Amino acid sequence: MKKKLVHRIIVLRFRRVGDAVLSGVICTSLRRSFPTATIDYVLNAEIAPLFENHPDVDRIISFTKDEMGHWSIYLKKVWHIMCSARYDLIVDTRATVKTLWFSLFSIRTPYRIGWKKSYNLFLHNYRVMLSVDSDQVSCLLSLLRPLEKRFQMTYEPNFTLFVTPEERAAFRVKMENAGINFSKPVIVCAVATRIPHKNWNVEKMRQVLERIIEHYDAQLIFNFAGVTEEELAVQLYCCMNHHPQVHTNVRADNLRELAALISLSDFFFGNEGGPRHISQAFRIPSFAIYPPSVSKRRWLPGMCERYRGIELADISGEKVNNPNLNFASKFDLLTVDHVWEELNPMLAQYL
């Protein structure tokens, strides 16, 4: 197999934190398959720091909101990127009108891979059908299947992130100064989400959190980002009567600190989202609550005893497809007892 033909690779992954974390499996699989190749990873600027020190990424290429928001600026930067390096392989995990310019400006790249769409027939010379039945990691790795015709591919389904010992040590001090006692269990809790209607009911969340404290004497760190999430977290903290084992003062000021915080925790619990993916990347046991619009099968790759979650389909498949129930009504069917019945055995095992 002529692996030497692939010297330079670029992977495109614009979007949110969770998407970027999961797509890391592409970089890792490419590193295993082409160990001498240079791998560039294209990300939104606010997410890029999360991949610092990642052994499977040689160069992070980031785009700011301003660059993404102005076509002239965006196209000029894409042109410069593609003309400054001779890429042998482009992996476009988005295949949108915006990302197609990378292939257009590098039309001589031998392998230009993306999802099969009506508008990319001539720009992606290898198009993969998007599977609706696979989990997201398996789906992403399928983008590399066309390479099997010529190369011996090695696939790695476990996504990983890395923080330095210095970063961990610095944030551990920050946690201790905020009152965290590492002789007791530490649980990072995603009590709020970026999209408010995807939050599980606050009162139900309170009851589960109080059960965790009562049964396991755990310290709960509320993770949140932005004003709206902070307001909800503080509201919940007040509803819990400012419990001394609930912490809203352990703040990760950036994604590097968030990664360090999660890596120092014993467990992750809360609403599904990017922080849950980060926890799995650090092999932290996790349990997430999935709203009706998010499939657990798709967004909980590697589901096992260590990484679990709950969705309405676990309780009633019939009600999932009931046209008479709206989103909120379906979400409300997840009760405190439903969550606790699944969560409690995990806490007993890992705390």
Side-chain angles (χ1 to χ4, degrees):
M1 298 295 178
K2 298 180 179 180
K3 291 188 180 182
K4 63 181 181 180
L5 295 179
V6 176
H7 302 293
R8 194 78 186 252
I9 300 169
I10 187 167
V11 179
L12 314 178
R13 176 71 275 188
F14 290 129
R15 218 175 175 188
R16 306 300 306 177
V17 170
D19 302 295
V21 173
L22 295 183
S23 297
V25 297
I26 293 178
C27 297
T28 301
S29 296
L30 289 170
R31 176 70 78 210
R32 304 291 187 274
S33 302
F34 307 104
T36 62
T38 299
I39 301 174
D40 296 344
Y41 199 19
V42 178
L43 298 163
N44 297 87
E46 61 269 25
I47 297 170
L50 198 55
F51 287 85
E52 292 175 9
N53 305 308
H54 199 295
D56 302 322
V57 177
D58 294 294
R59 181 172 68 139
I60 300 169
I61 301 174
S62 63
F63 282 71
T64 65
K65 289 182 179 180
D66 186 60
E67 290 169 332
M68 294 294 287
H70 295 82
W71 272 104
S72 60
I73 297 174
Y74 174 79
L75 293 178
K76 184 177 180 180
K77 182 166 182 175
V78 174
W79 170 264
H80 176 74
I81 291 167
M82 302 313 288
C83 289
S84 63
R86 284 189 175 182
Y87 289 105
D88 303 299
L89 170 60
I90 299 170
V91 182
D92 187 348
T93 67
R94 296 283 288 140
T96 63
V97 172
K98 204 154 197 173
T99 59
L100 286 180
W101 290 93
F102 285 86
S103 292
L104 179 62
F105 291 153
S106 189
I107 204 68
R108 292 186 179 181
T109 294
Y111 300 96
R112 304 182 308 279
I113 305 175
W115 301 116
K116 187 174 184 179
K117 296 187 177 180
S118 60
Y119 49 77
N120 64 344
L121 177 61
F122 300 107
L123 293 179
H124 288 150
N125 56 351
Y126 295 91
R127 299 188 302 154
V128 178
M129 186 67 72
L130 181 62
S131 171
V132 295
D133 298 320
S134 303
D135 67 72
Q136 188 67 3
V137 162
S138 299
C139 190
L140 287 164
L141 289 177
S142 72
L143 282 170
L144 304 184
R145 297 293 181 192
L147 298 170
E148 293 178 356
K149 293 180 180 179
R150 193 162 187 180
F151 305 102
Q152 181 68 46
M153 300 301 296
T154 300
Y155 296 100
E156 176 51 71
N158 295 312
F159 46 96
T160 56
L161 293 171
F162 297 86
V163 290
T164 65
E166 293 76 15
E167 286 175 312
R168 280 174 54 89
F171 204 83
R172 183 184 176 98
V173 170
K174 186 173 182 177
M175 293 169 71
E176 290 173 335
N177 289 340
I180 297 299
N181 178 0
F182 281 96
S183 67
K184 293 182 177 182
V186 176
I187 301 178
V188 173
C189 301
V191 297
T193 63
R194 181 176 60 89
I195 303 174
H197 76 270
K198 291 186 177 181
N199 290 321
W200 192 44
N201 179 272
V202 174
E203 172 57 23
K204 293 177 180 178
M205 181 70 77
R206 178 191 67 80
Q207 293 182 46
V208 172
L209 295 176
E210 288 180 347
R211 289 189 188 185
I212 293 174
I213 296 173
E214 178 185 353
H215 286 79
Y216 296 98
D217 196 26
Q219 299 161 103
L220 310 182
I221 298 176
F222 285 2
N223 168 248
F224 49 82
V227 175
T228 301
E229 290 187 30
E230 181 177 3
E231 288 175 352
L232 190 146
V234 171
Q235 173 191 343
L236 181 54
Y237 179 50
C238 293
C239 290
M240 297 180 72
N241 296 316
H242 302 91
H243 197 290
Q245 286 179 225
V246 174
H247 297 265
T248 60
N249 60 333
V250 182
R251 302 203 176 196
D253 295 326
N254 52 61
L255 283 177
R256 298 299 304 169
E257 287 197 343
L258 177 60
L261 164 62
I262 291 176
S263 74
L264 288 163
S265 67
D266 299 297
F267 199 91
F268 173 91
F269 168 71
N271 292 292
E272 186 277 339
R276 194 221 68 83
H277 297 314
I278 294 175
S279 71
Q280 185 170 341
F282 284 105
R283 309 298 179 257
I284 303 300
S286 62
F287 185 93
I289 299 169
Y290 288 77
S293 59
V294 180
S295 167
K296 185 179 73 171
R297 181 181 63 179
R298 189 166 188 85
W299 292 101
L300 184 52
M303 187 164 31
C304 60
E305 286 188 356
R306 195 173 188 86
Y307 314 120
R308 298 184 63 184
I310 189 169
E311 63 180 350
L312 180 57
D314 297 324
I315 301 165
S316 174
E318 179 184 351
K319 291 179 179 177
V320 169
N321 300 312
N322 189 334
N324 297 318
L325 293 175
N326 60 24
F327 179 96
S329 298
K330 290 179 180 179
F331 207 0
D332 198 47
L333 292 173
L334 283 180
T335 68
V336 171
D337 288 338
H338 285 141
V339 172
W340 185 249
E341 184 179 349
E342 298 295 325
L343 172 64
N344 188 33
M346 281 195 74
L347 295 173
Q349 179 178 358
Y350 292 108
L351 295 187

